[in-house]
Amino acid sequence: MVGRPRTIDRETVLDAAQTVAARDGAAYMTLEAVATEAGISKASVLYDYKNKQALMKAVIERRIAAEDARIEEIQNRLGPNEPNAAIRARLIAESRELSDEDRAVALSLCASVAGDTDLRAPVREMMARRVARVRDTSENPRGAMLAFLAIEGLKALEWLSLYEWPSDERRKLMFEIHWLVDQKPEQIPCDEATDSI
């Protein structure tokens, strides 16, 4: 006998989980709250996600996949002849300012990732892929890596709501981070660089 077909879209559940995490904080998110937000029963949430951690991991993996797809789309638009396409696409992707909703979701997800090794795993894998891609595809890998570190630092301050750049200043910073891509810091002897610190 064939079981009843599922009518609950997994994306609906993940959307609801993201909304609840942003509103209440990931630490206070419950499967009941997610079910209520989605307009479904808790059993429907449990059908795909056996516990809160599995649900949070799915939310994180979906956000990573969406961001990776967005960066890849930008890179494809830059074309195969664009030098430093991987880092340029990353910088273009981050040129938009965060909305309040983006910031709330990011802050909530960062908090849950910080306290859970299993939830941190997909983020670590994403970062390892991005670092390798920038390193392996850039004409000036050191300059590109400095640009990568600069954008990650800027985004971390924004995600954690530690600092909000005025729009004009943020645009200038983004321009200067793009400039870093073409620099060649490997031409500075390491001893000389560390002596000046």
Side-chain angles (χ1 to χ4, degrees), residues 122-185:
V123 179
R124 288 175 58 88
E125 290 165 11
M126 171 199 70
M127 282 299 178
R129 284 193 312 271
R130 288 183 181 174
V131 167
R133 197 167 184 186
V134 167
R135 181 190 61 228
D136 297 342
T137 63
S138 299
E139 290 182 344
N140 301 309
R142 302 309 297 169
M145 196 54 61
L146 287 176
F148 179 82
L149 291 170
I151 193 60
E152 291 301 326
L154 184 144
K155 294 303 291 184
L157 290 173
E158 292 178 333
W159 287 339
L160 297 173
S161 294
L162 297 175
Y163 192 81
E164 189 172 337
W165 306 98
S167 293
D168 287 348
E169 178 64 15
R170 193 181 192 282
R171 278 193 293 276
K172 288 176 188 172
L173 287 170
M174 291 303 299
F175 179 81
E176 292 162 349
I177 293 171
H178 276 274
W179 172 82
L180 283 172
V181 172
D182 297 317
Q183 303 312 302
K184 298 180 180 179

Side-chain angles (χ1 to χ4, degrees), residues 42-163:
K42 181 180 174 183
S44 295
V45 176
L46 287 168
Y47 184 90
D48 288 317
Y49 308 103
K50 302 307 177 206
N51 53 44
K52 175 181 163 179
Q53 185 188 43
L55 180 56
M56 286 302 300
K57 188 172 184 183
V59 169
I60 290 166
E61 289 172 341
R62 181 178 75 156
R63 285 191 62 92
I64 289 171
E67 185 63 13
D68 284 349
R70 192 165 77 89
I71 293 169
E72 186 174 350
E73 180 186 333
I74 293 168
Q75 186 169 339
N76 289 339
R77 283 198 315 257
L78 290 174
N81 298 324
E82 173 71 27
N84 307 308
I87 185 62
R88 296 280 185 212
R90 178 80 179 110
L91 295 177
I92 292 167
E94 297 304 343
S95 62
R96 67 181 174 89
E97 295 182 35
L98 288 179
S99 68
D100 289 340
E101 181 183 355
D102 289 334
R103 192 173 282 105
V105 170
L107 184 58
S108 178
L109 294 181
C110 284
S112 74
V113 164
D116 190 312
T117 305
D118 289 337
L119 293 181
R120 210 164 31 247
V123 179
R124 288 175 58 88
E125 290 165 11
M126 171 199 70
M127 282 299 178
R129 284 193 312 271
R130 288 183 181 174
V131 167
R133 197 167 184 186
V134 167
R135 181 190 61 228
D136 297 342
T137 63
S138 299
E139 290 182 344
N140 301 309
R142 302 309 297 169
M145 196 54 61
L146 287 176
F148 179 82
L149 291 170
I151 193 60
E152 291 301 326
L154 184 144
K155 294 303 291 184
L157 290 173
E158 292 178 333
W159 287 339
L160 297 173
S161 294
L162 297 175
Y163 192 81

